[in-house]
Amino acid sequence: MKKRNVGFELLIFEKLEEMTPEDQMLLRQADTALESSYSPYSNFKVGAAVLLEDGKVVLGSNQENASYPAGLCAERVAVFSAGAQFPNVPIKAIAISAASAHNFVTQPAGPCGSCRQAILEYEVKQKSPITILMKGQSGPIYKCNSIASLLPLSFDHTFLGDS
Ligand code: THU
Protein backbone atom coordinates (compact mmCIF):
# COMPACT_ATOMS: atom_id res chain seq x y z
CA MET A 1 0.00 0.00 0.00
CA LYS A 2 1.10 3.54 -0.70
CA LYS A 3 -0.17 6.60 1.05
CA ARG A 4 -0.34 10.04 -0.51
CA ASN A 5 -1.54 13.23 1.11
CA VAL A 6 -3.32 15.49 -1.31
CA GLY A 7 -3.27 19.14 -0.31
CA PHE A 8 -3.56 22.56 -1.85
CA GLU A 9 -2.34 26.07 -1.27
CA LEU A 10 -4.92 28.44 0.21
CA LEU A 11 -4.02 32.11 0.55
CA ILE A 12 -5.83 33.79 3.44
CA PHE A 13 -6.19 37.56 3.56
CA GLU A 14 -7.44 39.48 6.56
CA LYS A 15 -8.88 42.28 4.51
CA LEU A 16 -9.62 43.30 0.95
CA GLU A 17 -6.96 46.02 0.98
CA GLU A 18 -4.20 43.36 1.26
CA MET A 19 -5.14 41.97 -2.13
CA THR A 20 -4.15 43.01 -5.65
CA PRO A 21 -6.26 45.78 -7.22
CA GLU A 22 -7.64 43.23 -9.71
CA ASP A 23 -8.71 40.83 -6.96
CA GLN A 24 -10.31 43.70 -5.03
CA MET A 25 -12.20 44.83 -8.11
CA LEU A 26 -13.51 41.32 -8.80
CA LEU A 27 -14.60 40.72 -5.20
CA ARG A 28 -16.45 44.04 -5.25
CA GLN A 29 -18.18 42.96 -8.45
CA ALA A 30 -19.19 39.72 -6.70
CA ASP A 31 -20.73 41.86 -3.94
CA THR A 32 -22.64 43.78 -6.60
CA ALA A 33 -23.84 40.50 -8.11
CA LEU A 34 -25.37 39.58 -4.73
CA GLU A 35 -27.98 42.26 -5.30
CA SER A 36 -29.60 40.25 -8.10
CA SER A 37 -29.78 37.03 -6.07
CA TYR A 38 -33.26 35.49 -6.23
CA SER A 39 -33.28 33.43 -3.05
CA PRO A 40 -36.70 33.67 -1.36
CA TYR A 41 -36.47 30.07 -0.09
CA SER A 42 -33.03 29.96 1.54
CA ASN A 43 -32.51 33.70 2.04
CA PHE A 44 -28.86 32.89 1.35
CA LYS A 45 -27.49 35.20 -1.31
CA VAL A 46 -24.49 34.33 -3.44
CA GLY A 47 -22.88 36.59 -6.05
CA ALA A 48 -20.23 35.52 -8.53
CA ALA A 49 -18.06 37.61 -10.85
CA VAL A 50 -16.09 35.98 -13.65
CA LEU A 51 -13.05 37.84 -15.01
CA LEU A 52 -12.19 37.02 -18.62
CA GLU A 53 -8.68 37.26 -20.10
CA ASP A 54 -9.72 40.32 -22.10
CA GLY A 55 -10.82 42.15 -18.94
CA LYS A 56 -14.57 41.69 -19.32
CA VAL A 57 -16.48 40.78 -16.17
CA VAL A 58 -19.57 38.55 -16.25
CA LEU A 59 -21.85 38.46 -13.20
CA GLY A 60 -24.10 35.75 -11.84
CA SER A 61 -26.18 35.16 -8.72
CA ASN A 62 -28.09 32.23 -7.29
CA GLN A 63 -31.53 31.77 -8.80
CA GLU A 64 -33.93 29.66 -6.77
CA ASN A 65 -37.17 27.95 -7.73
CA ALA A 66 -40.30 26.73 -5.92
CA SER A 67 -39.26 23.33 -7.25
CA TYR A 68 -35.99 23.51 -5.31
CA PRO A 69 -33.65 21.43 -7.51
CA ALA A 70 -34.52 23.56 -10.54
CA GLY A 71 -32.59 26.49 -9.03
CA LEU A 72 -28.96 27.20 -9.85
CA CYS A 73 -25.94 28.42 -7.89
CA ALA A 74 -24.34 31.78 -8.59
CA GLU A 75 -21.07 30.27 -9.81
CA ARG A 76 -22.74 28.18 -12.51
CA VAL A 77 -24.99 31.06 -13.59
CA ALA A 78 -21.82 33.15 -14.03
CA VAL A 79 -19.55 30.62 -15.77
CA PHE A 80 -22.33 29.32 -18.04
CA SER A 81 -23.18 32.88 -18.98
CA ALA A 82 -19.50 33.62 -19.73
CA GLY A 83 -19.23 30.38 -21.75
CA ALA A 84 -22.39 31.18 -23.71
CA GLN A 85 -21.55 34.80 -24.48
CA PHE A 86 -17.77 34.60 -24.91
CA PRO A 87 -16.99 30.96 -25.75
CA ASN A 88 -13.47 31.64 -26.99
CA VAL A 89 -12.25 33.94 -24.24
CA PRO A 90 -10.50 32.12 -21.37
CA ILE A 91 -11.62 32.67 -17.79
CA LYS A 92 -8.94 34.16 -15.57
CA ALA A 93 -10.71 34.19 -12.20
CA ILE A 94 -14.01 33.91 -10.41
CA ALA A 95 -14.91 35.76 -7.21
CA ILE A 96 -17.68 34.45 -4.97
CA SER A 97 -19.45 36.45 -2.28
CA ALA A 98 -22.00 35.04 0.19
CA ALA A 99 -24.47 36.82 2.48
CA SER A 100 -27.38 35.53 4.54
CA ALA A 101 -30.48 37.14 5.96
CA HIS A 102 -30.45 34.59 8.83
CA ASN A 103 -26.83 34.11 9.86
CA PHE A 104 -24.21 36.75 9.25
CA VAL A 105 -21.66 34.96 7.06
CA THR A 106 -18.31 35.23 8.85
CA GLN A 107 -16.27 32.99 6.58
CA PRO A 108 -16.02 32.38 2.83
CA ALA A 109 -18.47 29.88 1.35
CA GLY A 110 -16.64 27.46 -0.91
CA PRO A 111 -18.34 26.53 -4.17
CA CYS A 112 -20.51 23.41 -4.00
CA GLY A 113 -19.34 20.19 -5.66
CA SER A 114 -21.40 20.70 -8.81
CA CYS A 115 -20.00 24.22 -9.25
CA ARG A 116 -16.43 22.96 -8.76
CA GLN A 117 -17.06 20.40 -11.50
CA ALA A 118 -18.60 23.05 -13.79
CA ILE A 119 -15.68 25.46 -13.29
CA LEU A 120 -13.18 22.62 -13.79
CA GLU A 121 -14.66 21.97 -17.24
CA TYR A 122 -13.58 25.44 -18.37
CA GLU A 123 -10.15 25.11 -16.75
CA VAL A 124 -9.57 21.86 -18.66
CA LYS A 125 -11.00 23.32 -21.88
CA GLN A 126 -8.79 26.42 -21.83
CA LYS A 127 -5.72 24.60 -20.43
CA SER A 128 -4.98 27.39 -17.94
CA PRO A 129 -5.86 27.73 -14.26
CA ILE A 130 -8.80 29.71 -12.95
CA THR A 131 -8.20 31.65 -9.73
CA ILE A 132 -10.94 31.29 -7.12
CA LEU A 133 -11.62 34.16 -4.70
CA MET A 134 -14.10 33.71 -1.85
CA LYS A 135 -15.55 36.02 0.79
CA GLY A 136 -18.34 36.15 3.34
CA GLN A 137 -19.84 39.29 4.88
CA SER A 138 -16.92 39.53 7.30
CA GLY A 139 -13.90 37.43 8.21
CA PRO A 140 -11.02 36.22 6.06
CA ILE A 141 -10.91 36.21 2.28
CA TYR A 142 -9.62 33.11 0.54
CA LYS A 143 -7.70 32.80 -2.69
CA CYS A 144 -6.89 29.59 -4.45
CA ASN A 145 -4.94 29.51 -7.72
CA SER A 146 -6.75 26.69 -9.47
CA ILE A 147 -10.15 24.96 -9.24
CA ALA A 148 -8.42 21.59 -9.81
CA SER A 149 -6.87 21.85 -6.35
CA LEU A 150 -10.37 22.13 -4.84
CA LEU A 151 -11.47 19.00 -6.67
CA PRO A 152 -8.89 16.23 -6.26
CA LEU A 153 -9.29 13.06 -8.33
CA SER A 154 -11.61 14.95 -10.63
CA PHE A 155 -13.45 13.61 -13.63
CA ASP A 156 -12.87 15.15 -17.04
CA HIS A 157 -13.18 14.39 -20.76
CA THR A 158 -10.01 12.29 -20.80
CA PHE A 159 -11.98 9.45 -19.17
CA LEU A 160 -14.44 9.47 -22.05
CA GLY A 161 -11.89 8.43 -24.65
CA ASP A 162 -11.39 10.26 -27.94
CA SER A 163 -13.79 13.11 -27.22
N1 THU B 1 -25.40 28.46 -3.43
C1 THU B 1 -24.65 29.05 -4.40
O1 THU B 1 -25.14 29.91 -5.15
N2 THU B 1 -23.35 28.67 -4.51
C2 THU B 1 -22.75 27.72 -3.77
O2 THU B 1 -21.63 27.33 -4.07
C3 THU B 1 -23.44 27.18 -2.60
C4 THU B 1 -24.89 27.45 -2.53
C5 THU B 1 -26.80 28.84 -3.31
C6 THU B 1 -27.77 27.78 -3.76
C7 THU B 1 -29.01 28.16 -2.99
O3 THU B 1 -29.70 29.15 -3.74
C8 THU B 1 -28.47 28.81 -1.73
O4 THU B 1 -27.12 29.12 -1.97
C9 THU B 1 -28.57 27.94 -0.50
O5 THU B 1 -28.01 26.69 -0.74
Side-chain angles (χ1 to χ4, degrees):
M1 187 197 78
K2 285 183 190 159
K3 197 170 173 181
R4 184 153 50 107
N5 288 318
V6 182
F8 71 100
E9 186 178 79
L10 183 66
L11 303 176
I12 303 169
F13 298 86
E14 274 179 29
K15 40 183 174 320
L16 206 59
E17 293 68 33
E18 288 174 20
M19 308 187 79
T20 66
E22 188 174 89
D23 288 352
Q24 291 187 39
M25 174 281 294
L26 201 60
L27 282 156
R28 288 201 175 95
Q29 294 269 29
D31 283 342
T32 299
L34 275 177
E35 292 164 21
S36 68
S37 166
Y38 175 64
S39 42
Y41 304 105
S42 71
N43 288 304
F44 190 83
K45 292 174 187 276
V46 184
V50 167
L51 176 65
L52 302 180
E53 282 294 350
D54 64 5
K56 282 193 198 73
V57 175
V58 178
L59 303 185
S61 58
N62 55 329
Q63 300 295 313
E64 297 185 349
N65 192 283
S67 175
Y68 294 177
L72 200 61
C73 294
E75 296 90 324
R76 273 176 289 164
V77 170
V79 291
F80 289 162
S81 176
Q85 295 182 77
F86 309 106
N88 301 316
V89 188
I91 295 172
K92 204 171 165 190
I94 178 168
I96 304 155
S97 175
S100 169
H102 298 313
N103 309 307
F104 197 69
V105 181
T106 57
Q107 60 183 357
C112 79
S114 294
C115 289
R116 291 178 201 211
Q117 182 70 31
I119 299 166
L120 180 85
E121 183 72 22
Y122 295 96
E123 195 168 271
V124 172
K125 177 186 171 217
Q126 69 190 35
K127 299 188 181 74
S128 63
I130 297 173
T131 298
I132 317 293
L133 305 167
M134 295 159 263
K135 74 182 280 292
Q137 290 165 278
S138 69
I141 302 163
Y142 294 164
K143 178 173 183 173
C144 173
N145 290 323
S146 162
I147 191 70
S149 62
L150 292 182
L151 198 59
L153 306 182
S154 56
F155 185 83
D156 64 25
H157 72 91
T158 59
F159 290 96
L160 299 175
D162 288 341
S163 61

